[in-house]
Amino acid sequence: MTTSVPSRPFELYDATLRDGMQGEGMSLSAEEKLRVARKLDELGVHLIEAGFPASNPKEQELFALLAQETWESSRIAAFGMTRRRDVRADQDPALRILADCFCDVTTIVGKTWGLHLEKVVRVDPAENLRLIADSVAFLVGEGKRVIYDAEHFFDAWRDDREYAHRCLRAAVEAGADTITLCDTNGSSLPMQVHEAVRAVVDELGEHVRVGIHAHDDAGCGVANSLLAVQAGATHVQGTTNGIGERTGNANLTTITADLELKMGIRSLPEGRLAKLTETAHFVDELLNRPPRTTQPYVGRNAFAHKGGLHVAGIRADASTFEHVDPATVGNARDVLVSELAGKGTVIEKAAEAGLSVDDAQAVRIIDRVKELEHRGYQFEAADGSFELLLRRETGTYDPLFTLESWRVIVEQRAGGQVETEATIKIWIGDERFVRTAEGNGPVHALDRALRSAIGQVHPHLSDIELVNFKVRILDETKGTGAVTRVLIDASDGNRTWGSIGVGENLIGASWDALVESLAWAEQPGRRGPQLAAAPAEVESA
Amino acid sequence: MTTSVPSRPFELYDATLRDGMQGEGMSLSAEEKLRVARKLDELGVHLIEAGFPASNPKEQELFALLAQETWESSRIAAFGMTRRRDVRADQDPALRILADCFCDVTTIVGKTWGLHLEKVVRVDPAENLRLIADSVAFLVGEGKRVIYDAEHFFDAWRDDREYAHRCLRAAVEAGADTITLCDTNGSSLPMQVHEAVRAVVDELGEHVRVGIHAHDDAGCGVANSLLAVQAGATHVQGTTNGIGERTGNANLTTITADLELKMGIRSLPEGRLAKLTETAHFVDELLNRPPRTTQPYVGRNAFAHKGGLHVAGIRADASTFEHVDPATVGNARDVLVSELAGKGTVIEKAAEAGLSVDDAQAVRIIDRVKELEHRGYQFEAADGSFELLLRRETGTYDPLFTLESWRVIVEQRAGGQVETEATIKIWIGDERFVRTAEGNGPVHALDRALRSAIGQVHPHLSDIELVNFKVRILDETKGTGAVTRVLIDASDGNRTWGSIGVGENLIGASWDALVESLAWAEQPGRRGPQLAAAPAEVESA
């Protein structure tokens, strides 16, 4: 799809660290924000909005850290607002802080909508124009590149188009480099955005860069941004993974891929688009936010095909069903295993694990998967457990040990800590092991006890770390009582694999998942060297 | 925003039960699908796509159930495909099944894209036109209303517009009532969709209803559907909450609200829009899918304001910051508590709980919240615990008991079940209680033991059910070791409240959340009648 080539260089403006932090549960330390900024710099976005340099100690610390960094692709933008009404711009303390900040890019937001002038800030429209002009002029005079964010622009434009344009002109005449039209409450639809942006570009596009800042309240954050670009905007503000208040900001991750892959607009430096997925996942990890598996381009399932027909098509020619090649954004195709999959999927997954299964075995495996799924198992996130299932069905599963018993005791006395102790009794060959370990929780204690035993025979197990632990209580109305599903991700530093345990008891389900995590790492073809077991004796770890 | 009034009645087509089921982890029993269909009928969508009536035993069972129901607003559509190439339409077994089905609406999908004809199904383009025409004509002859889904339509239109239109004409001339243009791989952008739909409506809009079926691979599923309507489509296919394969189908929940509230298009019967939120939540519950809190219109946070300025604005006049009134879609405003909130938020939340706090207390409470949040607490989903925090800070907290100790033992022997036993020792006033209970898991056992004790003094606690239990392991890189956050939702049949526990030990954190769940229900002003405690003795429950 061709679009008129922008007359100005195109800019991506990532507001994750400021606007994104308004989302529920979003919270990062200054150090974590620095790490996010470095990652965004690696990706190559042009501008990173970091916040207001002195609103609280965390922000001050952040700006001190940012000032010391060398940035390869990105510039850091400080964020603030127009001056207070009763103060000159050069005496407004907040503007002074922005002026003194190391950032040479400053974004300030100002009012555009009559409703806000009247009811929220109680400022006369004429005075508002002076607030805008004074503030922008002051910062330009201090040597800053000024980006002016026109708040609630689209509501304002629909209400009083003429005044909305006057606000923008005030900023432009005062020296703003960019005017960003903000759909602050996410109320606008794509055609409305296109119309208003077009009008602004027609009037002011020769003198200033026009930008867009959309939200997703109507489910159109991405589309609104793209339509704005089509209408002539060359600056797009959004957040990584679309985090932000309410329904979130426009998803800059999706927008970036759409611009490059579908609109022919280079928005990142050459070759950086392939870092999109890792950047998105990194930010989710730091935010401790479960990644949205259905997120366009970078979600784990963005290219995952479940239906049998689709899978057959993919194997023939990927372009028959995939809208883009996942590798361009650093993602991968993934074929799901489930009751809708066919023999072809199973054979392919087995081959990935170095196993060969014939048609009859594949059919049996599918039946087994369906049966387990009815009991609450889900293998899409538990590739390790799925491989063990394949091995059990093909007679190539090598259990690490035989269980005699396990037990966990957790207790707390008034005023004391919670204490956890696990005891396991297992057999490896002829050798019986009894191990007791303490831990900061039941799974931790069981893991330590178990590995202190089998680790004697399989020393490489000490390289494994349990990196993720998820618990989900399944639907009670299914009549089997509440069933718990536990997913554990384990990693040896190179690979990460998932395992699953299902049962009525959370600890029991955790035990099963734990055993599968370790067993996967030591299957034939993958295991490290083994040692002879030491004589059986009771030990504590 | 005005749109040309559609010449045909507008239709919403919900494909949750067929296309939606292709999404990862989406799986429903026949009984559950019936419940979803009833819920959609209550909402008032025009068409419910139920699946192919005989692809497997679950589907056959489903159609038998659907056939027996009386539907108030919706019609059930059966779904299939064009005939096989080597068979006459009236002898194609799948078309025969569709013809015999009780549904008088049948949707069939057929090929449009040359790439697929060549590489996936290996059918000559001319023959493809006959497949389409024969299949549609056969079903029309059997008395069905036929909806023809043109698969991969937009890719096909971009490749070979003329042939794509010929495929549609073949369906129209054979008697199809609706032609649905499907963006099957989600590759299209809004302007592309608008252009193609406009061309189809121009050519065929007088003879047939034009529909749209979008996906979200480019993040534009909703926008594409709205732009299609703007171009003249009067039939929109999507899924509730946008579930579906890969990134999901176009989100019909969002689309419905956008059409009614922003485009002035009546798409549901009068007054039904207010059922939107409960419908969306119901479907997520049945799918056992954690609801997306950021989902437009119906998400828990869709109208939740965190930033201090926004909260001040909302209190002044909701339209200053909200794009629509949440009540129109059956949702509610919610003001989050967090480190970004101000005194106003705290005072408001306290008032909701019937407590009054002054400014100084509010400041102290905010500090306490920030401190706890740094340790891993999050109160947005734990309104019960937040109220207890307010009570502790204002001296109005009444603890149910004094803890002496608690202990949980979980064990399993080879070949046996997992067994769980909890013992609690508490004091209520002068009375000491020692209780032991078994359970299907640690929290269940602790709950039974605890309630068997305090339930003697507070009998109304027996009305409470723990309805949700979530565990999250927090970020290890914060240096405090892995911290676990447990959220429990409890309900007395009327209200539901959330409580939170945080700590290194999962069972310890669960105990804290459990205690808060029960304590909340029995605070002054809320509690039921109390009984004198029985003499202290060791009992088992």
Side-chain angles (χ1 to χ4, degrees):
Chain A
M1 171 184 183
T2 57
T3 313
S4 56
V5 176
S7 53
R8 299 164 192 282
F10 196 89
E11 290 190 319
L12 293 174
Y13 181 104
D14 191 301
T16 300
L17 298 181
R18 201 275 314 170
D19 215 12
M21 292 292 104
Q22 310 257 61
E24 186 203 5
M26 301 291 109
S27 180
L28 291 174
S29 68
E31 187 67 40
E32 287 170 326
K33 286 186 178 181
L34 175 66
R35 289 170 69 194
V36 169
R38 284 191 190 129
K39 200 71 182 175
L40 294 176
D41 183 47
E42 272 178 47
L43 179 64
V45 298
H46 307 81
L47 295 151
I48 297 170
E49 185 177 271
F52 178 61
S55 50
N56 59 58
K58 252 181 25 173
E59 298 287 87
Q60 287 175 335
E61 183 190 351
L62 170 65
F63 274 82
L65 292 170
L66 293 170
Q68 293 165 27
E69 292 283 304
T70 312
W71 301 100
E72 186 193 323
S73 304
S74 313
R75 305 188 88 91
I76 310 297
F79 177 84
M81 48 197 288
T82 46
R83 69 165 173 82
R84 277 171 26 214
R85 34 190 321 214
D86 51 346
V87 144
R88 284 172 35 158
D90 61 1
Q91 282 163 6
D92 183 292
L95 286 181
R96 185 75 252 160
I97 287 169
L98 289 172
D100 293 341
C101 177
F102 82 93
C103 300
D104 50 19
V105 180
T106 305
T107 302
I108 56 170
V109 62
K111 296 290 180 201
T112 324
W113 196 8
L115 185 70
H116 273 235
L117 292 179
E118 181 195 333
K119 297 202 174 186
V120 181
V121 293
R122 303 203 200 331
V123 168
D124 172 79
E127 187 183 357
N128 186 50
L129 296 176
R130 288 194 297 275
L131 297 184
I132 297 172
D134 292 353
S135 308
V136 171
F138 167 70
L139 290 167
V140 170
E142 294 283 333
K144 305 297 183 189
R145 169 192 167 183
V146 177
I147 296 172
Y148 177 72
D149 281 4
E151 205 193 42
H152 288 283
F153 182 79
F154 296 90
D155 284 284
W157 197 81
R158 290 190 284 272
D159 243 16
D160 185 344
R161 177 180 311 195
E162 206 272 314
Y163 182 71
H165 278 242
R166 282 173 70 192
C167 289
L168 298 180
R169 281 202 301 273
V172 174
E173 285 158 15
D177 164 86
T178 302
I179 45 176
T180 313
L181 314 181
C182 303
D183 191 32
T184 308
N185 59 9
S187 60
S188 302
L189 295 188
M191 294 311 291
Q192 295 175 309
V193 169
H194 190 273
E195 189 188 2
V197 173
R198 179 88 251 156
V200 170
V201 168
D202 282 348
E203 178 182 337
L204 296 168
E206 275 187 48
H207 311 288
V208 75
R209 187 196 318 268
V210 178
I212 177 71
H213 174 114
H215 280 263
D216 207 43
D217 298 75
C220 293
V222 169
N224 285 352
S225 306
L226 300 181
L227 270 284
V229 168
Q230 184 138 27
T234 58
H235 169 104
V236 177
Q237 299 193 358
T239 59
T240 300
N241 299 332
I243 64 168
E245 192 166 25
R246 305 183 313 269
T247 59
N249 287 54
N251 188 326
L252 199 63
T253 307
T254 306
I255 289 166
T256 303
D258 279 342
L259 289 171
E260 295 233 342
L261 299 175
K262 293 181 184 293
M263 290 175 71
I265 294 177
R266 162 63 44 77
S267 54
L268 292 174
E270 181 87 43
R272 301 285 185 92
L273 188 62
K275 286 180 168 290
L276 196 69
T277 299
E278 73 182 66
T279 305
H281 290 178
F282 180 83
V283 171
D284 274 338
E285 258 187 65
L286 245 65
L287 286 170
N288 197 28
R289 180 177 176 263
R292 184 157 73 95
T293 60
T294 57
Q295 198 180 342
Y297 294 109
V298 302
R300 193 163 64 79
N301 291 338
F303 299 95
H305 300 269
K306 188 173 186 181
L309 290 176
H310 287 190
V311 171
I314 288 285
R315 222 171 272 107
D317 178 338
S319 62
T320 53
F321 283 98
E322 279 177 356
H323 71 118
V324 300
D325 177 354
T328 53
V329 291
N331 204 350
R333 190 176 301 145
D334 194 16
V335 177
L336 305 178
V337 180
S338 92
E339 52 191 11
L340 296 185
K343 284 183 310 191
T345 315
V346 172
I347 291 169
E348 184 174 302
K349 289 227 161 253
E352 280 169 24
L355 306 170
S356 78
V357 303
D358 58 38
D359 269 15
Q361 286 172 319
V363 168
R364 258 203 335 268
I365 287 164
I366 290 171
D367 286 344
R368 181 77 180 129
V369 166
K370 289 184 188 177
E371 182 204 337
L372 289 169
E373 285 188 342
H374 275 275
R375 284 169 46 193
Y377 284 78
Q378 277 270 311
F379 290 99
E380 284 136 346
D383 51 334
S385 286
F386 182 68
E387 186 193 303
L388 297 185
L389 184 159
L390 291 173
R391 289 183 171 277
R392 288 189 188 98
E393 292 293 321
T394 55
T396 54
Y397 173 61
D398 190 353
L400 291 183
F401 63 90
T402 304
L403 175 72
E404 186 181 310
S405 70
W406 60 262
R407 181 183 68 220
V408 175
I409 303 175
V410 185
E411 55 192 332
Q412 182 178 36
R413 289 172 208 291
Q417 299 275 48
V418 178
E419 292 169 9
T420 311
E421 184 187 291
T423 299
I424 61 128
K425 298 176 185 173
I426 63 173
W427 291 77
I428 301 178
D430 294 333
E431 304 291 344
R432 183 169 181 265
F433 293 78
V434 176
R435 293 286 186 272
T436 295
E438 290 168 313
N440 57 25
V443 183
H444 186 221
L446 283 167
D447 182 29
R448 296 187 69 225
L450 188 55
R451 272 200 262 182
S452 79
I454 35 177
Q456 292 193 216
V457 179
H458 298 276
H460 277 254
L461 285 181
S462 62
D463 294 336
I464 294 173
E465 198 188 332
L466 304 187
V467 296
N468 209 351
F469 177 76
K470 292 180 199 152
V471 177
R472 188 160 180 80
I473 313 300
L474 305 181
D475 185 37
E476 280 186 4
T477 68
K478 287 198 199 307
T480 56
V483 169
T484 305
R485 178 195 295 155
V486 172
L487 282 164
I488 289 179
D489 288 331
S491 171
D492 61 4
N494 292 325
R495 296 160 302 183
T496 303
W497 58 98
S499 66
I500 182 171
V502 173
E504 267 199 338
N505 190 297
L506 188 150
I507 311 302
S510 304
W511 166 262
D512 291 342
L514 171 65
V515 169
E516 298 228 322
S517 287
L518 303 178
W520 181 88
E522 293 291 317
Q523 290 304 301
R526 177 180 296 125
R527 62 173 50 152
Q530 295 174 64
L531 310 176
E537 56 180 306
V538 176
E539 283 183 37
S540 290
Chain B
M1 171 181 181
T2 56
T3 314
S4 56
V5 178
S7 53
R8 296 165 194 281
F10 196 89
E11 291 187 320
L12 294 173
Y13 181 103
D14 191 301
T16 300
L17 297 181
R18 201 276 311 169
D19 215 12
M21 292 294 103
Q22 310 258 62
E24 187 204 4
M26 302 292 109
S27 182
L28 292 174
S29 67
E31 189 65 42
E32 288 170 326
K33 286 188 179 181
L34 175 66
R35 292 170 67 195
V36 169
R38 286 190 189 129
K39 200 71 183 175
L40 294 175
D41 183 47
E42 271 178 48
L43 179 63
V45 298
H46 306 83
L47 295 149
I48 296 171
E49 187 178 87
F52 178 62
S55 51
N56 59 59
K58 255 185 16 177
E59 298 287 88
Q60 285 174 336
E61 183 190 352
L62 170 64
F63 275 83
L65 292 170
L66 294 169
Q68 294 164 29
E69 292 282 308
T70 313
W71 302 99
E72 186 195 322
S73 306
S74 313
R75 304 189 88 90
I76 310 297
F79 177 86
M81 49 196 290
T82 46
R83 68 165 173 84
R84 278 172 24 215
R85 37 188 320 212
D86 51 346
V87 144
R88 285 170 36 157
D90 59 3
Q91 282 164 7
D92 183 292
L95 287 180
R96 187 73 252 160
I97 286 168
L98 288 172
D100 293 341
C101 176
F102 82 93
C103 298
D104 51 14
V105 180
T106 305
T107 302
I108 55 169
V109 62
K111 297 289 179 203
T112 325
W113 196 10
L115 184 70
H116 273 236
L117 292 179
E118 183 196 328
K119 298 201 171 184
V120 182
V121 294
R122 302 206 200 333
V123 168
D124 172 81
E127 187 181 357
N128 186 50
L129 297 176
R130 290 192 296 275
L131 298 185
I132 296 171
D134 291 354
S135 308
V136 172
F138 166 70
L139 290 168
V140 170
E142 294 283 333
K144 304 298 185 188
R145 169 191 166 184
V146 177
I147 297 171
Y148 178 72
D149 281 5
E151 207 193 40
H152 288 283
F153 181 80
F154 296 89
D155 284 285
W157 197 81
R158 288 190 284 272
D159 244 15
D160 185 343
R161 177 180 311 196
E162 207 272 316
Y163 182 71
H165 278 240
R166 283 173 71 192
C167 288
L168 297 181
R169 279 201 301 275
V172 175
E173 283 158 16
D177 165 85
T178 302
I179 46 176
T180 312
L181 313 182
C182 303
D183 190 34
T184 309
N185 59 9
S187 61
S188 303
L189 294 188
M191 292 312 288
Q192 293 173 311
V193 169
H194 190 273
E195 190 188 4
V197 174
R198 179 89 250 153
V200 171
V201 167
D202 281 348
E203 178 181 336
L204 297 169
E206 275 187 51
H207 310 288
V208 75
R209 185 195 320 270
V210 177
I212 177 72
H213 174 114
H215 280 262
D216 208 42
D217 298 76
C220 293
V222 168
N224 286 353
S225 306
L226 300 181
L227 270 282
V229 168
Q230 185 138 23
T234 56
H235 170 104
V236 177
Q237 300 192 358
T239 59
T240 300
N241 300 331
I243 65 167
E245 193 166 24
R246 305 184 311 271
T247 59
N249 287 55
N251 189 327
L252 200 63
T253 306
T254 306
I255 290 166
T256 302
D258 279 342
L259 289 170
E260 296 233 341
L261 299 174
K262 295 182 185 289
M263 290 176 70
I265 295 178
R266 163 61 46 75
S267 55
L268 291 175
E270 182 87 44
R272 300 284 186 93
L273 188 63
K275 287 181 167 290
L276 196 69
T277 300
E278 74 182 67
T279 305
H281 290 177
F282 180 82
V283 172
D284 273 339
E285 258 189 66
L286 245 63
L287 286 170
N288 198 26
R289 179 177 176 266
R292 186 158 71 93
T293 60
T294 58
Q295 198 179 345
Y297 294 108
V298 303
R300 192 163 65 80
N301 293 338
F303 299 95
H305 300 269
K306 189 175 185 179
L309 288 175
H310 287 191
V311 171
I314 288 285
R315 223 169 271 111
D317 179 339
S319 63
T320 54
F321 282 99
E322 278 176 357
H323 71 119
V324 300
D325 177 356
T328 53
V329 292
N331 203 352
R333 189 176 300 141
D334 193 17
V335 177
L336 305 179
V337 179
S338 90
E339 50 190 10
L340 296 183
K343 282 182 314 192
T345 314
V346 172
I347 291 169
E348 183 172 304
K349 289 226 163 254
E352 279 171 25
L355 307 168
S356 76
V357 303
D358 58 37
D359 268 17
Q361 284 173 318
V363 170
R364 255 202 339 269
I365 288 164
I366 290 173
D367 285 345
R368 181 79 180 128
V369 167
K370 290 184 187 177
E371 181 203 341
L372 288 169
E373 285 188 344
H374 273 276
R375 285 170 44 195
Y377 284 77
Q378 277 269 312
F379 290 100
E380 283 135 346
D383 51 335
S385 286
F386 182 67
E387 186 195 302
L388 297 184
L389 185 158
L390 291 174
R391 287 183 173 277
R392 286 188 188 101
E393 292 294 322
T394 55
T396 54
Y397 174 60
D398 192 354
L400 290 184
F401 62 91
T402 305
L403 175 72
E404 185 182 309
S405 71
W406 60 261
R407 181 183 70 220
V408 176
I409 303 176
V410 185
E411 57 190 335
Q412 181 178 35
R413 289 172 209 291
Q417 299 278 46
V418 179
E419 293 169 7
T420 312
E421 184 186 291
T423 299
I424 60 127
K425 298 176 184 174
I426 63 174
W427 291 77
I428 302 177
D430 293 332
E431 304 291 344
R432 183 171 182 262
F433 293 79
V434 177
R435 292 289 187 272
T436 294
E438 292 170 314
N440 57 25
V443 181
H444 185 221
L446 283 167
D447 182 29
R448 294 186 72 223
L450 188 55
R451 272 200 262 182
S452 79
I454 33 177
Q456 292 195 212
V457 179
H458 297 274
H460 277 253
L461 284 182
S462 62
D463 294 337
I464 294 175
E465 201 187 328
L466 305 187
V467 294
N468 210 352
F469 177 78
K470 292 180 201 151
V471 177
R472 189 161 179 78
I473 314 299
L474 306 183
D475 186 37
E476 280 185 3
T477 69
K478 287 201 200 303
T480 56
V483 167
T484 305
R485 178 194 296 155
V486 172
L487 282 164
I488 290 180
D489 289 332
S491 171
D492 61 4
N494 292 324
R495 296 158 304 183
T496 303
W497 58 97
S499 65
I500 182 171
V502 173
E504 266 200 338
N505 191 297
L506 189 149
I507 311 300
S510 303
W511 166 262
D512 291 341
L514 172 64
V515 169
E516 298 228 320
S517 287
L518 302 178
W520 182 89
E522 293 291 317
Q523 290 304 300
R526 179 180 294 126
R527 64 174 47 153
Q530 296 177 64
L531 309 176
E537 58 177 303
V538 175
E539 284 186 35
S540 293

